[in-house]
Amino acid sequence: MNPITSAQPDTLPRIADVGFGGMLVTFSDALTDAANSAALAFRAELEANRPVGLTETSTSLTSTFIAFEPHTLARETLRAQLIDLLGRRDWFAASLPEGRKLWTIPSVFGGDTFGPQLGEAAQLAGVSPDTAIAQLCETPLRVMTLGFAPGQPYLGSLPENWDLPRQTGLTKSVPIGAITVAIRQIVLFSASTPTGWRQVGQCAFHAFRAHHDAPFALTPGDEIRFVPISEADFLRIHERNDSGDGGATWEAIS
């Protein structure tokens, strides 16, 4: 890899300055599983060998953000370190970080209350509602990033037929646990909010738990598998959901 700076914006991976104390390493301008994996692996390597003066790292869908203290770590010194690290391996082929979890989450799909736009989304994806549910539940889904709301995961990537546009208007509000689709991704809502994504299902899993020691239940790199259940089973789980797990279980995958 031959990383370049923001002065040459068409070559990737790209290193760009962000404000007074930030830098951004971008692996792709379009979302791919490989670019997301590269961003996650690169961040993990930085965290494992954190330079003095580096204060924080995070990832978006295809980038790694690095915050640093300029009085301790000079920008050009950090840039040189990032260029060196980028050149050490093919980050697109790097393994995902250790400590990841596979979550199995019971979810209800379809119906006027819990998945009111399943039929519309399935039609846009060119499949029947039953096939849509099967594809959403059978596709391995990685937590690609957290954002928009606290602890809220963007999951992907779905098959190509799920490259659906967002709605032209907004749904006024979807509930916590809403399962929504667009642009080959699923957003599992951690807060009740308006959205342009189509709601196809719902779970009782809370991705954000404000009063827990670890308020974000999920970590980028985790995987999720939805398991379809009936509305009656969902309501039973929902009524007994003091922990916020919503009937979900997890196992270590690395």
Side-chain angles (χ1 to χ4, degrees):
M1 288 188 173
N2 296 305
I4 51 82
T5 68
S6 54
Q8 300 169 284
D10 295 330
T11 303
L12 293 163
R14 177 171 60 242
I15 302 174
D17 296 334
V18 181
F20 180 67
M23 301 188 81
L24 187 71
V25 179
T26 300
F27 290 91
S28 176
D29 290 326
L31 175 59
T32 66
D33 290 349
N36 178 254
S37 178
L40 294 173
F42 188 75
R43 181 200 179 192
E45 185 68 20
L46 277 173
E47 287 290 345
N49 299 280
R50 179 182 285 211
V52 175
L54 191 152
T55 58
E56 182 183 359
T57 65
S58 61
T59 55
S60 63
L61 291 172
T62 63
S63 302
T64 302
F65 174 73
I66 302 102
F68 65 100
E69 175 48 65
H71 298 298
T72 303
L73 178 59
R75 183 181 299 276
E76 291 309 313
T77 299
L78 176 58
R79 188 189 309 278
Q81 292 173 342
L82 294 176
I83 290 173
D84 176 68
L85 184 58
L86 283 168
R88 291 183 189 177
R89 70 174 72 175
D90 179 0
W91 290 98
F92 290 93
S95 300
L96 286 165
E98 296 182 354
R100 297 181 300 121
K101 298 176 180 178
L102 169 61
W103 291 85
T104 301
I105 302 179
S107 307
V108 59
F109 291 90
D112 294 339
T113 302
F114 302 116
Q117 294 163 302
L118 174 66
E120 179 184 351
Q123 184 176 21
L124 289 169
V127 295
S128 69
D130 286 344
T131 299
I133 294 170
Q135 290 182 347
L136 296 174
C137 292
E138 292 170 1
T139 301
L141 296 169
R142 181 193 305 161
V143 178
M144 293 185 143
T145 192
L146 304 177
F148 183 76
Q152 183 162 290
Y154 286 69
L155 311 173
S157 294
L158 290 169
E160 291 184 2
N161 62 306
W162 286 96
D163 191 12
L164 312 183
R166 298 177 182 86
Q167 301 175 101
T168 55
L170 285 177
T171 299
K172 291 184 179 180
S173 181
V174 295
I176 295 173
I179 300 168
T180 67
V181 294
I183 51 176
R184 295 187 65 186
Q185 296 174 68
I186 288 176
V187 170
L188 173 55
F189 273 79
S190 65
S192 180
T193 182
T195 183
W197 295 49
R198 292 174 177 84
Q199 183 182 354
V200 297
Q202 188 172 341
C203 64
F205 179 80
H206 288 192
F208 176 62
R209 307 169 191 186
H211 302 296
H212 284 218
D213 292 338
F216 293 0
L218 303 170
T219 299
D222 284 353
E223 295 182 10
I224 282 180
R225 179 175 61 213
F226 294 112
V227 176
I229 59 174
S230 68
E231 290 189 7
D233 286 341
F234 170 79
L235 290 172
R236 280 193 290 272
I237 292 172
H238 189 270
E239 290 171 0
R240 303 170 183 172
N241 194 32
D242 294 338
S243 69
D245 285 345
T249 59
W250 65 268
E251 59 186 270
I253 53 177
S254 66

